Amino acid sequence: MSTFRSTTRAAAVIIVTSLGLSACGLAKGDSEGPAADDKGITTITVGASPTPHAKILEYVDKELAPAAELDLDIKTFDDYIQPNVQLSEGTLDANYYQHLPYYEEQVTDRGYDFAHFTGIHIEPFALYSDKVKDVKDLKSGAQIGVNNDPSNQGRALQLLADNGVITLKDGKDATNATIFDVKDNPKKLTFKETDPAQLARSLQDLDAAVINGNYAIEADLSTKDALIVEDGKDSPYANFLAVQKANENNPGLKKLDELLHSPEVKAYIEKTWPGGEVLPAF
């Protein structure tokens, strides 16, 4: 999402103050990871989106972290870009808000020296509408809202293609398709590129919109009411914990990742989002 502008989305960030570091965090280029204090407690810094990431982290902090001698302190950011910027600068020890296609694009475009753990959860994309109850009822020329960022626009179009709404040109799929790569469009749909954070708010002005799972949750949209829903099985869009490459073997960070992949977290996700708005990826 190198072309993705800052959103008004709050992103929760777990700020970790390592032993001996000042409150302003690490200097850029400092690769020291979180360390235990004299009481054996490791404080960790993680950047995360408010829903569902921060909720999951809050659960871990309250229910699982104390026994693991970890301490998480949560703050918020108002854009997608800063969690990676601050991870690179050392203000954060990790972040939890992104999937692999976005991560890879950011690493390539910005030269970040990052590593990542395995997927924790998936937020399925879904097509929502205030005007029709079935995708077959979309009228000719209907206006469909899609993400305006490269790493997710293809994903939205792939969802439509997988459900027979459109087809994509040969060689185009979720990883590289844009609205200019639509091949067959029997309903003559028009596509309105929109900031992901604005899609749910713009739904009343559109015939339908493919909305990111986290924004759908924030707008109280349920996948049970969606026209079509992305299949989460074997999805490349599982969100994970990202860290500085130098810190990928840090014991505290590895322990946090273990907790995020615990049976307790899986049960928490399934209980908190029973409609499938968030799915465990493990």
Side-chain angles (χ1 to χ4, degrees), residues 129 131 143-145 192 194 199 202-209:
S129 176
K131 297 181 173 63
Q143 189 174 54
I144 310 299
K192 182 175 177 59
T194 304
L199 279 167
S202 303
L203 193 57
Q204 61 184 355
D205 300 320
L206 301 165
D207 293 292

Side-chain angles (χ1 to χ4, degrees), residues 16-277:
V16 181
T17 307
S18 299
L19 180 62
L21 297 180
S22 67
C24 62
L26 296 167
K28 187 170 183 177
D30 194 333
S31 62
E32 290 184 21
D37 62 16
D38 56 3
K39 296 181 180 179
I41 304 300
T42 299
T43 310
I44 301 182
T45 310
V46 185
S49 300
T51 304
H53 310 73
K55 286 183 174 292
I56 294 171
L57 289 164
E58 287 165 359
Y59 169 79
V60 170
D61 188 38
K62 180 180 179 181
E63 302 294 339
L64 306 177
E69 298 184 314
L70 299 180
D71 181 37
L72 309 180
D73 178 21
I74 302 173
K75 287 190 175 182
T76 60
F77 285 95
D78 62 359
D79 66 275
Y80 271 141
I81 303 301
Q82 282 301 309
N84 274 341
V85 171
Q86 296 205 19
L87 175 61
S88 177
E89 292 177 345
T91 307
L92 307 176
D93 290 312
N95 65 47
Y96 170 36
Y97 78 111
Q98 60 192 320
H99 54 57
L100 187 60
Y102 177 68
Y103 168 93
E104 290 181 335
E105 183 174 303
Q106 287 281 293
V107 167
T108 298
D109 290 353
R110 297 172 178 264
Y112 292 136
D113 190 19
F114 289 168
H116 67 86
F117 295 105
T118 58
I120 298 161
H121 80 268
I122 300 162
E123 303 154 39
F125 269 30
L127 180 68
Y128 295 92
S129 176
D130 285 342
K131 297 181 173 63
V132 298
K133 299 297 184 183
D134 192 299
V135 68
K136 296 178 182 178
D137 297 330
L138 288 171
K139 296 180 180 179
S140 178
Q143 189 174 54
I144 310 299
V146 295
N147 284 265
N148 66 355
D149 65 276
S151 68
N152 280 315
Q153 188 170 114
R155 183 181 176 187
L157 294 170
Q158 186 70 62
L159 173 64
L160 298 176
D162 287 343
N163 287 274
V165 181
I166 60 172
T167 65
L168 297 173
K169 296 176 182 178
D170 292 345
K172 298 296 181 179
D173 55 26
T175 65
N176 59 10
T178 72
I179 58 174
F180 303 107
D181 297 315
V182 175
K183 180 180 180 181
D184 298 313
N185 185 3
K187 287 185 175 287
K188 297 180 173 57
L189 303 175
T190 60
F191 299 98
K192 182 175 177 59
E193 297 178 280
T194 304
D195 186 298
Q198 299 298 322
L199 279 167
R201 301 171 193 171
S202 303
L203 193 57
Q204 61 184 355
D205 300 320
L206 301 165
D207 293 292
V210 181
I211 302 177
N212 308 44
N214 60 304
Y215 291 125
I217 294 169
E218 290 174 10
D220 294 324
L221 296 171
S222 171
T223 52
K224 293 179 179 179
D225 302 320
L227 306 185
I228 52 179
V229 182
E230 186 179 54
D231 185 357
K233 185 178 181 181
D234 301 322
S235 173
Y237 299 104
N239 287 204
F240 48 63
L241 203 66
V243 300
Q244 288 191 19
K245 178 70 174 177
N247 295 334
E248 63 180 324
N249 292 316
N250 179 274
L253 295 174
K254 291 176 73 173
K255 175 57 69 173
L256 175 58
D257 185 64
E258 288 176 17
L259 296 181
L260 287 167
H261 286 87
S262 66
E264 292 88 348
V265 166
K266 183 175 183 178
Y268 172 79
I269 292 173
E270 293 172 339
K271 180 180 179 180
T272 306
W273 295 282
E277 294 84 3

